[in-house]
Amino acid sequence: MATRRRRGEDGISFEHRGPCRDPQRHRNCPGLWRGEITLGYTGDGKRTRRKVSGQTKASVIDKLRDLHNQLDKGITPKAGYVHYTLRQAAEDWLAHGLDGRSPKTVTKNQNVLEPILKVIGARKLRELTATDVRRALSEMAAGYSTAAVSMGHLALKRAIRHAEANDLVSRNVAALADTPKGQDGRPSNSLTLDQAVAVITAARTLPVMELRPGLKDVRRPAELMHAYIVLSLLTGIRTEEARALRWAHVDLDGDLAARPPVPPHVAVWRSVRVHGETKTERSRRTLGLPAVAVEALRAWADRQAGEQLAAGDGWQDTGLVFTNHLGAALDAGNVRKMFKRICTAAGVGDGWTPRELRTTFVSLLSHRGVSIEEIARLAVHASTRTTEIVYRRELRPVITTGAEIMDELFTAT
């Protein structure tokens, strides 16, 4: 005679789907074996249960044993998650683990994860091993830069950590794998002094910019990119800081009668990042403006006032320094295209990007003999180590300082 199972023991029974042919062992009976495990109790006293099924009693016992193993490892078995894959875990992290991040950040993480998910995305998360992760990273490294592989590995670790926090996996196997070296990426370049002068001259003298139809801004005056390039090159501000700069944060006159005198300056307090924050807290800074930058910004301010008058009621009063023909923020893609055209006209080639104006700023200061500590302070690097790693070939260990040198270099031009 069968005895009642004790409290806490698993329940196993046979569910008939036809007439019973073997009351003792149900060997030839139509139906399935069912197993049940109690996980705990809800706040109102109801049992939380997980059920499994199988064609044989032995398979059900194995599944119940596996559930117990998960509980022992701190994993809470959840219905429907037996076949939970790495791709599902990544999608859940992208959808729910990046709250507060911009859509651009989510897309970036999705893009660097995709090469990894193509290789191991179909693997069940519970069965994923460090060997699988190493294999996927190695395949990604064969076609991507080291920086992209590092970002992909970091995103994978964060996605699995999100599943780990939800008790869907016992450990983060991605953290057990090292990041392999990928392909050599495109190195940042810097313009020489002669090239920088040629670019500034081309920006000042080129006629109205003609961009292909379909872009947000079709015609742009030369004063726009001349001011943009001069400001970026002579102060070293980042591209996202330049596009978010407001006239309220620009003082082209200063106050020379004050004690101490206040020179013309620009307050870099914003960027196009989420919520308008700069890259770091230390990136909020006020920089003195070289005379060449003051002249370029004055010329652009006059031209922008004419555009505002021409736009009439269609003008968007954003207060931004660098705008399209209706006062809205400049599109990053248009800035890159206009900058490439200027570089081509200057005879330095079209393989340059606006962010390399910042690299040129550092390199010119270094070439002129500014100390690495002063360069790191002006460029708002976290430490001189960042400056050394990125600009080591250009550095010279002689001490002097910033905006005055830029005046000396560019006033004559």
Side-chain angles (χ1 to χ4, degrees), residues 305-335:
E307 287 191 329
Q308 181 177 357
L309 187 63
D313 293 339
W315 182 260
Q316 303 176 39
D317 191 12
T318 60
L320 294 171
V321 174
F322 301 109
T323 58
N324 64 15
H325 65 296
L326 294 177
L330 275 182
D331 179 73
N334 278 4
V335 173

Side-chain angles (χ1 to χ4, degrees), residues 291-369:
V292 176
V294 173
E295 293 175 6
L297 287 169
R298 285 190 192 281
W300 166 239
D302 292 340
R303 189 58 184 262
Q304 189 185 56
E307 287 191 329
Q308 181 177 357
L309 187 63
D313 293 339
W315 182 260
Q316 303 176 39
D317 191 12
T318 60
L320 294 171
V321 174
F322 301 109
T323 58
N324 64 15
H325 65 296
L326 294 177
L330 275 182
D331 179 73
N334 278 4
V335 173
R336 287 193 296 270
K337 290 179 177 66
M338 290 188 288
F339 184 66
K340 285 180 180 294
R341 181 194 167 185
I342 290 170
C343 289
T344 301
V348 299
D350 64 351
W352 298 89
T353 61
R355 65 182 175 85
E356 287 170 326
L357 293 171
R358 177 173 165 85
T359 311
T360 301
F361 167 78
V362 172
S363 297
L364 289 175
L365 288 179
S366 175
H367 183 78
R368 192 65 178 178

Side-chain angles (χ1 to χ4, degrees), residues 362-363 366-367 370-372 375 384 387-398:
V362 172
S363 297
S366 175
H367 183 78
V370 180
S371 70
I372 185 172
I375 293 175
T384 57
T387 315
E388 287 176 318
I389 292 174
V390 178
Y391 306 105
R392 180 178 296 277
R393 295 179 182 175
E394 302 293 336
L395 293 177
R396 298 185 181 183
V398 184

Side-chain angles (χ1 to χ4, degrees), residues 29-182:
C29 296
L32 288 173
W33 285 93
R34 301 286 189 183
E36 177 184 297
I37 183 174
T38 299
L39 301 178
Y41 296 86
T42 63
D44 56 2
K46 293 183 179 180
R47 281 196 301 167
T48 301
R49 296 177 290 182
R50 272 292 310 278
K51 296 182 179 180
V52 295
S53 60
Q55 293 292 334
T56 65
K57 186 175 182 180
S59 66
V60 170
I61 292 174
D62 289 339
K63 291 180 180 180
L64 291 175
R65 185 181 295 115
D66 183 53
L67 289 177
H68 279 292
N69 288 335
Q70 292 182 55
L71 288 172
D72 292 340
K73 293 177 181 179
I75 305 173
T76 303
K78 298 182 180 180
Y81 284 86
V82 176
H83 303 292
Y84 190 65
T85 65
L86 177 60
R87 182 175 290 277
Q88 289 175 302
E91 291 172 351
D92 284 347
W93 174 64
L94 291 170
H96 308 294
L98 292 173
D99 293 339
R101 307 304 200 280
S102 68
K104 183 177 179 181
T105 299
V106 176
T107 301
K108 176 183 176 181
N109 281 283
Q110 184 177 13
N111 290 339
V112 296
L113 273 173
E114 188 56 34
I116 298 173
L117 297 179
K118 282 183 179 179
V119 181
I120 57 175
R123 288 279 288 172
K124 294 180 183 178
L125 186 61
R126 289 165 44 195
E127 298 175 0
L128 187 68
T129 65
T131 301
D132 295 328
V133 174
R134 283 192 289 268
R135 176 168 59 88
L137 291 175
S138 295
E139 293 195 24
M140 182 180 182
Y144 290 82
S145 68
T146 300
V149 177
S150 297
M151 288 188 288
H153 191 189
L154 177 60
L156 180 64
K157 286 189 284 189
R158 295 178 65 189
I160 299 178
R161 188 191 310 149
H162 183 259
E164 189 179 14
N166 290 320
D167 298 327
L168 296 174
V169 67
S170 61
R171 63 174 183 167
N172 192 340
V173 294
L176 304 177
D178 295 328
T179 305
K181 184 180 184 301

Side-chain angles (χ1 to χ4, degrees), residues 130-292:
T131 301
D132 295 328
V133 174
R134 283 192 289 268
R135 176 168 59 88
L137 291 175
S138 295
E139 293 195 24
M140 182 180 182
Y144 290 82
S145 68
T146 300
V149 177
S150 297
M151 288 188 288
H153 191 189
L154 177 60
L156 180 64
K157 286 189 284 189
R158 295 178 65 189
I160 299 178
R161 188 191 310 149
H162 183 259
E164 189 179 14
N166 290 320
D167 298 327
L168 296 174
V169 67
S170 61
R171 63 174 183 167
N172 192 340
V173 294
L176 304 177
D178 295 328
T179 305
K181 184 180 184 301
Q183 305 302 302
D184 293 332
R186 177 187 177 277
S188 292
N189 297 315
S190 62
L191 299 165
T192 64
L193 177 58
D194 291 340
Q195 288 175 326
V197 171
V199 169
I200 290 176
T201 302
R204 183 175 59 238
T205 58
L206 277 179
V208 171
M209 293 283 184
E210 289 283 358
L211 301 179
R212 65 178 175 81
L215 294 178
K216 293 181 180 179
D217 200 359
V218 179
R219 300 174 62 86
R220 305 307 297 124
E223 291 86 351
L224 168 64
M225 283 306 292
H226 179 240
Y228 184 98
I229 290 172
V230 168
L231 178 66
S232 300
L233 180 60
L234 273 61
T235 64
I237 67 175
R238 299 180 176 94
T239 56
E240 66 265 27
E241 295 169 342
R243 287 187 286 118
L245 186 63
R246 297 182 183 274
W247 284 115
H249 295 158
V250 178
D251 186 348
L252 299 179
D253 298 315
D255 187 358
L256 300 181
R259 290 294 179 268
V262 178
H265 58 273
V266 56
V268 185
W269 293 350
R270 302 178 65 255
S271 79
V272 295
R273 295 169 180 267
V274 180
H275 309 307
E277 296 295 333
T278 53
K279 185 174 182 179
T280 65
E281 291 185 3
R282 294 180 66 250
S283 295
R284 293 175 62 115
R285 62 206 186 276
T286 300
L287 301 170
L289 285 174
V292 176

